[in-house]
Amino acid sequence: MEGGCCTSSTSTPSSTSTATTEKRKHSRQQNQEKPYRGIRMRKWGKWVAEIREPNKRSRIWLGSYSTPIAAARAYDTAVFYLRGPSAKLNFPDLIYQEDDLRDVSAASIRKKATEVGAKVDALQTAVHASPEDNSRVLLSEKPDLNKFPENSDEE
């Protein structure tokens, strides 16, 4: 009976290589879907960020963003204030501690992280907007028919 116990836990070389291949496939898929730590993509394309509170099961919601970079920057801000300079960041060179966040409550961390994420999201969206997109918006505006036309010829 003891021999049967030991042989079932031993893996063959072929099963080990299959498991390694599966892990590689999974990690490649995960890198495509989740390019940064602490974020994920919703089915409809928005990127969201959240972080688990230390020593608790609850999470801090950090917001929903158009770009993965904005969500990652929001996460970086939160993790920096929660764990300090030793935290693993997505963009370690871009963290900027503009003030000493004395209140490390979930609400204050959420507020700070969403501010950073919103700024980055606005910048990223503006960078990716082409001049053609802006001209289409201007042309698609319908004139107000209740206003009289302004003519410089009339006195």
Side-chain angles (χ1 to χ4, degrees), residues 1-137:
M1 294 295 250
E2 286 181 40
C5 170
C6 295
T7 56
S8 65
S9 65
T10 308
S11 62
T12 62
S14 63
S15 68
T16 305
S17 65
T18 305
T20 306
T21 306
E22 288 299 317
K23 284 182 184 177
R24 285 186 193 145
K25 283 181 185 176
H26 180 69
S27 69
R28 262 188 263 137
Q29 263 184 338
Q30 193 172 9
N31 285 341
Q32 291 170 354
E33 295 171 8
K34 208 170 146 183
Y36 301 106
R37 181 186 300 269
I39 70 168
R40 59 186 158 77
M41 190 168 97
R42 295 271 194 200
K43 291 177 188 175
W44 51 90
K46 286 283 190 174
W47 292 90
V48 296
E50 62 186 350
I51 189 169
R52 193 176 293 279
E53 288 186 78
N55 304 321
K56 293 183 182 179
R57 295 184 69 188
S58 57
R59 296 173 186 256
I60 301 173
W61 179 253
L62 304 175
S64 178
Y65 304 97
S66 304
T67 64
I69 294 172
R73 292 286 306 276
Y75 172 83
D76 280 2
T77 302
V79 78
F80 181 79
Y81 284 114
L82 282 172
R83 295 185 174 83
S86 64
K88 290 183 181 179
L89 303 171
N90 294 305
F91 303 101
D93 298 339
L94 299 179
I95 197 72
Y96 176 68
Q97 187 178 4
E98 55 189 41
D99 56 18
D100 202 19
L101 193 66
R102 303 259 183 234
D103 178 20
V104 288
S105 67
S108 63
I109 289 170
R110 180 183 305 111
K111 182 180 177 196
K112 189 68 175 169
T114 53
E115 285 173 5
V116 170
K119 286 178 187 175
V120 173
D121 208 18
L123 289 170
Q124 288 285 312
T125 306
V127 166
H128 293 301
S130 69
E132 293 171 2
D133 293 340
N134 293 337
S135 66
R136 259 188 256 131
V137 170

